[in-house]
Amino acid sequence: MKRFLTILILIFGVSICKGQSISKNDSLLVMRSLNNVFKNFKNPDFVEFQKISTKVIYCIICEDSKNSKLGIYNLKRNDFFNKHLKAIKNSESWKRASKSKEIILYKQNSRRADVIAFLTTWKANEFAPGHEGAQLGIYFIKENGIFKFSGLETIP
């Protein structure tokens, strides 16, 4: 996966970036961080997870995040890791995202994300006739020059 992502960035560079312009350096940093997220989900390690993630994780797909004390869809990093990471990594959406050949980086610049990596999980009509397809969005916030995992969402 790591080699694939690196080759993809080197070949396509800026062409996978949508929205506002994302520098080639930031694109490489995001892809490196994305690779670290996939590695950590595959072999969960909380000490490493603390290094690659923000203190608060935005998670639309986490069941108990709607009524979070931190705000809607926000969870403490340790709650996300202990209560949701295993279910997410075993989900069909995550499995398909980890094999996705279509990655779009979108510059967000919000309190939840500086960049979102959208990975295609279902192409149009693949899930069912007339279905528009789906993507998994993985959020990143840049802290001290490093893009850290800050959330997840699925579209649609």
Side-chain angles (χ1 to χ4, degrees), residues 53-112:
S53 65
T54 56
K55 290 179 181 178
V56 175
I57 306 294
Y58 175 73
C59 186
I60 287 181
I61 60 177
C62 298
E63 292 176 21
D64 63 345
S65 64
K66 284 186 180 179
N67 299 316
S68 171
K69 293 176 184 175
L70 300 174
I72 191 164
Y73 302 120
N74 291 316
L75 297 166
K76 291 179 183 176
R77 174 176 34 213
N78 60 331
D79 288 340
F80 176 86
F81 186 88
N82 292 321
K83 296 178 183 177
H84 300 285
L85 189 139
K86 185 176 180 179
I88 290 168
K89 84 170 192 164
N90 291 327
S91 71
E92 185 66 21
S93 187
W94 185 263
K95 289 174 185 175
R96 292 179 71 86
S98 69
K99 297 174 186 171
S100 179
K101 293 182 175 130
E102 295 179 23
I103 302 169
I104 299 169
L105 300 182
Y106 184 82
K107 192 167 186 170
Q108 182 69 26
N109 294 329
S110 72
R111 65 181 175 87
R112 292 187 174 131

Side-chain angles (χ1 to χ4, degrees), residues 1 43 45 74 76 88 144 146:
M1 180 71 172
N43 297 306
D45 175 347
N74 291 316
K76 291 179 183 176
I88 290 168
N144 301 320
I146 299 170

Side-chain angles (χ1 to χ4, degrees), residues 106-154:
Y106 184 82
K107 192 167 186 170
Q108 182 69 26
N109 294 329
S110 72
R111 65 181 175 87
R112 292 187 174 131
D114 291 318
V115 175
I116 304 172
F118 290 106
L119 295 97
T120 299
T121 53
W122 298 97
K123 294 181 181 181
N125 298 312
E126 183 180 21
F127 185 72
H131 188 271
E132 63 189 273
Q135 295 178 320
L136 180 71
I138 302 176
Y139 288 46
F140 294 94
I141 289 178
K142 193 173 188 179
E143 291 181 355
N144 301 320
I146 299 170
F147 284 95
K148 293 189 171 192
F149 169 71
S150 63
L152 288 169
E153 72 172 313
T154 55

